[in-house]
Amino acid sequence: MKSIVTKIEVQGHPFFIREDKTDQYEVDLIIKREEYLKHFEIDEHDVFIDIGAHIGTFKFVCGKRGAICNSFEPNAENFNLLTENTARFPGYISNMAVVGNDDVSRTLFLNDKKGADAHSFYINKRRKVTEEVDCININDIIEKDTTGLKIDCE
């Protein structure tokens, strides 16, 4: 089932969300309520790695503050929205991949129920929809100038 995508305005910028997913909640929590900024600061010239980037809310927060955020999101639908939502921040790298070990690729089991975003790499015979995704070794993405790591994955 294909989701309906809606364009909303977030801090003066267009932002695309799906009506049948948790996207609006993520925007409210991470961008509007600045939940992450309650725990650490994001400054200009910081370099973050975002593993499990979803639709780009954390990358958006970094971009608005002048920080660099290299993001990784394995799900194609999420990745397309991530790319659209953060296109205004040039020089950022978005990767449609899972961060892990030396695997070349992994099978992502999609949760295709309405309102559900919790996809998984654990074998789940009840989940009929899958995507094959590329893997990137975590040791290959962490650089010496990395300031922080945001991880939202299993």
Side-chain angles (χ1 to χ4, degrees):
M1 177 173 103
K2 186 112 172 116
S3 296
I4 297 171
V5 176
T6 302
K7 181 168 84 170
I8 61 173
E9 186 173 304
V10 177
Q11 298 179 354
H13 296 281
F15 204 89
F16 297 91
I17 63 169
R18 295 159 296 193
E19 296 177 3
D20 61 338
K21 302 289 182 184
T22 61
D23 299 352
Q24 182 66 59
Y25 172 77
E26 296 290 328
V27 168
D28 292 344
L29 183 70
I30 297 168
I31 298 175
K32 293 180 180 177
R33 291 179 23 205
E34 298 183 331
E35 188 64 31
Y36 289 133
L37 298 177
K38 295 176 184 176
H39 306 287
F40 58 89
E41 292 183 19
I42 299 173
D43 297 316
E44 188 177 12
H45 308 300
D46 280 346
V47 178
F48 282 89
I49 295 172
D50 183 2
I51 299 173
H54 193 238
I55 62 168
T57 51
F58 181 72
K59 191 170 194 168
F60 184 90
V61 170
C62 288
K64 291 287 285 184
R65 285 163 179 72
I68 293 172
C69 182
N70 298 317
S71 59
F72 298 84
E73 171 56 50
N75 175 255
E77 187 177 14
N78 287 347
F79 182 80
N80 290 336
L81 291 173
L82 159 72
T83 302
E84 188 77 31
N85 289 333
T86 59
R88 70 193 53 80
F89 304 118
Y92 291 69
I93 299 170
S94 295
N95 301 275
M96 193 169 99
V98 61
V99 176
N101 56 20
D102 287 325
D103 291 346
V104 174
S105 68
R106 303 238 358 235
T107 301
L108 179 63
F109 294 86
L110 303 182
N111 188 353
D112 59 351
K113 293 185 177 19
K114 183 176 178 170
D117 292 316
H119 309 304
S120 180
F121 288 102
Y122 293 107
I123 296 172
N124 187 331
K125 294 181 181 182
R126 291 180 299 173
R127 293 187 181 182
K128 306 295 183 210
V129 182
T130 63
E131 292 177 349
E132 221 30 58
V133 295
D134 293 335
C135 293
I136 296 176
N137 189 301
I138 192 166
N139 295 311
D140 295 337
I141 64 169
I142 297 178
E143 300 174 10
K144 63 180 178 178
D145 61 345
T146 298
T147 309
L149 184 63
K150 177 252 171 196
I151 301 175
D152 185 4
C153 64
E154 58 184 37

